[in-house]
Amino acid sequence: MNIHWDAQKYKQDFMFVPEYGAAVLDLLDAAPGARVIDLGCGNGALTAQLADRGYRVQGLDASPEMLAVARSTHPELDFAPGNALDFVLDAPADAIFSNAVLHWIDADKQQAMLDHIASQIRPGGLFVCEFGGKGCAERVHATLERCFAAHGLTYRRTFYFPTIGEYAPMLEKAGFRVEYATLFDRPTRQNGPDGLADWIRMFDTAPFQGVDPALADQIIAEAVEALRPVLWQEDAWYVDYVRIRFKLRKL
């Protein structure tokens, strides 16, 4: 994953991530008491909801900052370090749940990641996930790309946003049966008058690595003004999210 999280800022201004993720939980219909892994658990908000539904749950995350918040907020739950590419369980899980994680994994590592996730689920178990789909935040990324170019810089696109047609064969190759798949637009409201700039600084840090901080601020300001006519609606910023959602059965 190519990001280091400001966990407190995330909890303060970006709780829409687990709030929207709650809808994905309804796809998880494992038996009561099933062992469920929340892969990329972040601050543990959805891990707690999984526990409330009667599952034996463990949250895994690659961010020490996020794990610290999760443990302090939900001390009764089990959290551990874990990366989607190489986490190892002591026994295969009945189900793995993942929200807003898989698009952070580089494209050339996606198949290896899916193969590995499948190896950690028992036959007949479930994998339920949602992440960014084709076109996610494209207006933001395309505008930033133009702003970077205007300053003689190259905007690096580090997210992986597939279509169902691109991703389903990879899932099947990993040993899953696709039981449900959808790709949908979900314009997502941001907090406050600086919501778009805050979103860029929280979620889109990789392209700005090595860029002078003053120039980075200028580029963000230029992008915000260019996007104001299309992403500012009445009293708030809305980022043009597209989500892809799957329910999968391990063969």
Side-chain angles (χ1 to χ4, degrees), residues 171-189:
L171 291 161
E172 291 173 344
K173 184 178 179 181
F176 291 110
R177 182 180 71 202
V178 179
E179 295 190 349
Y180 175 86
T182 185
L183 180 73
F184 58 97
D185 293 327
R186 196 200 70 201
T188 301
R189 182 186 176 107

Side-chain angles (χ1 to χ4, degrees), residues 135-149:
C136 188
E138 179 57 27
R139 285 175 169 170
V140 180
H141 294 303
T143 299
L144 283 168
E145 195 167 45
R146 289 191 294 271
C147 291
F148 268 64

Side-chain angles (χ1 to χ4, degrees), residues 213-224:
L215 178 55
D217 288 342
Q218 181 180 345
I219 289 172
I220 291 171
E222 291 169 355
V224 165

Side-chain angles (χ1 to χ4, degrees), residues 191-202:
N191 287 338
D194 296 322
L196 180 56
D198 289 344
W199 185 93
I200 294 169
R201 290 188 174 98
M202 172 62 68

Side-chain angles (χ1 to χ4, degrees), residues 18 50 56 58 73 164 169 236:
L50 288 165
R56 294 182 293 116
Q58 181 184 43
T73 307
I164 292 172

